[in-house]
Amino acid sequence: MKNFNLSNYLVAGPENCTFKPYGEVLAAALRAGFTCIQLRSKTASDDELLRLADETARIIAESGRRREVTFLINDRADIVLKAEKLGIKVDGVHVGQSDTPPDECRKMLGADAVIGLSAPQERLDEYLENADLSCVDYLGLAPLHETETKKDLAKNNENRTIIPTLDEIKEFAEKSPLPVVIGGGVKKEDLPLLAQTALSGYFVVSAVCGAENPCAAAEELVNSWNNFRKDI
């Protein structure tokens, strides 16, 4: 079985970091105890993504937590391959429903890669019954709240973002054969309830990247999740 911990999961790119540079935000999150890092940038060129991947891998290694932190790249299995050829350690990729299919990612990256897939929140009730998840290691569910960091989310007939209820989240996490994480506007105040479900973790962007003090913000999130998780 693969060893990865999704409990405290940061999704970040330079464009998300408001008050501190990307590298400082990343280092702060790792010091606080974040267990998974996903590099996501919609503005970076391929060369810039490779540079960011190298910076991310180096900061993870310098934290002394390389064996316990999972490093993923959003969407771009091809960048993961290029990074590995350059000696940059990346653990896998996270893709959406309209990105490179998981089976193709698996062929490209091999059996040991961690592959995450975003679940379609507009049809959660039928997804687990019909989806082929044989090449997937975990599922990402979003959003928990309206969020500015992800705008390509499913809409209802009134053009409002579809947001699952807590009961739907609980049911999905309980039924899923794979670990499930949730994000999209997650705040510290959400974690007591989320930690009491079958979710494997939460992911954040703005709660850390947009904080004036990323280290303090990250510590509050990690402590909240871990403390409430102990009560299960």
Side-chain angles (χ1 to χ4, degrees):
M1 181 178 290
K2 294 174 188 174
N3 183 22
F4 58 93
N5 182 345
L6 302 170
S7 57
N8 300 281
Y9 185 154
L10 179 67
V11 180
E15 63 264 41
N16 306 126
C17 300
T18 307
F19 296 99
K20 303 287 185 181
Y22 172 76
E24 289 187 29
V25 172
L26 179 58
L30 291 168
R31 285 195 300 273
F34 268 74
T35 59
C36 185
I37 304 295
Q38 182 191 139
L39 169 60
R40 184 181 73 182
S41 177
K42 300 299 183 181
T43 62
S45 66
D46 287 8
D47 286 346
E48 179 66 4
L49 276 174
L50 285 170
R51 188 195 69 75
L52 288 167
D54 186 46
E55 180 181 10
T56 303
R58 175 179 55 78
I59 292 172
I60 292 173
E62 289 174 351
S63 74
R65 300 180 58 227
R66 184 64 192 91
R67 291 187 177 182
E68 59 190 274
V69 174
T70 301
F71 173 29
L72 309 173
I73 293 178
N74 179 259
D75 292 353
R76 301 291 301 274
D78 60 322
I79 294 294
V80 176
L81 278 180
K82 289 179 180 179
E84 290 181 347
K85 289 178 180 178
L86 293 172
I88 301 169
K89 177 61 176 173
V90 183
D91 297 301
V93 66
H94 182 94
V95 294
Q97 293 288 319
S98 59
D99 298 320
T100 306
D103 59 340
E104 292 187 24
C105 291
R106 182 64 68 201
K107 289 176 184 176
M108 293 172 67
L109 302 180
D112 292 336
V114 175
I115 296 177
L117 176 66
S118 295
Q121 67 271 27
E122 70 272 22
R123 51 188 178 91
L124 291 179
D125 53 347
E126 62 179 74
Y127 185 64
L128 293 179
E129 295 180 10
N130 301 316
D132 179 7
L133 301 176
S134 59
C135 294
V136 179
D137 295 299
Y138 76 89
L139 293 171
L141 188 59
L144 182 65
H145 304 294
E146 293 280 358
T147 175
E148 291 297 315
T149 58
K150 194 166 179 59
K151 300 179 183 295
D152 58 341
L153 294 166
K155 306 287 184 179
N156 61 20
N157 293 333
E158 298 175 348
N159 200 35
R160 293 182 178 178
T161 301
I162 297 173
I163 296 176
T165 65
L166 182 61
D167 285 342
E168 288 172 331
I169 293 166
K170 286 180 177 178
E171 183 179 4
F172 185 80
E174 288 169 0
K175 288 183 177 180
S176 175
L178 300 173
V180 179
V181 292
I182 190 165
V186 169
K187 301 176 179 62
K188 181 184 69 172
E189 293 75 20
D190 298 312
L191 298 186
L193 283 176
L194 294 179
Q196 300 301 311
T197 71
L199 290 166
S200 293
Y202 67 94
F203 63 88
V204 293
V205 183
S206 300
V208 173
C209 296
E212 288 191 45
N213 187 335
C215 190
E219 286 177 352
E220 286 188 341
L221 290 164
V222 170
N223 290 339
S224 182
W225 174 268
N226 291 349
N227 288 337
F228 283 102
R229 196 67 169 176
K230 290 177 183 177
D231 296 335
I232 294 180

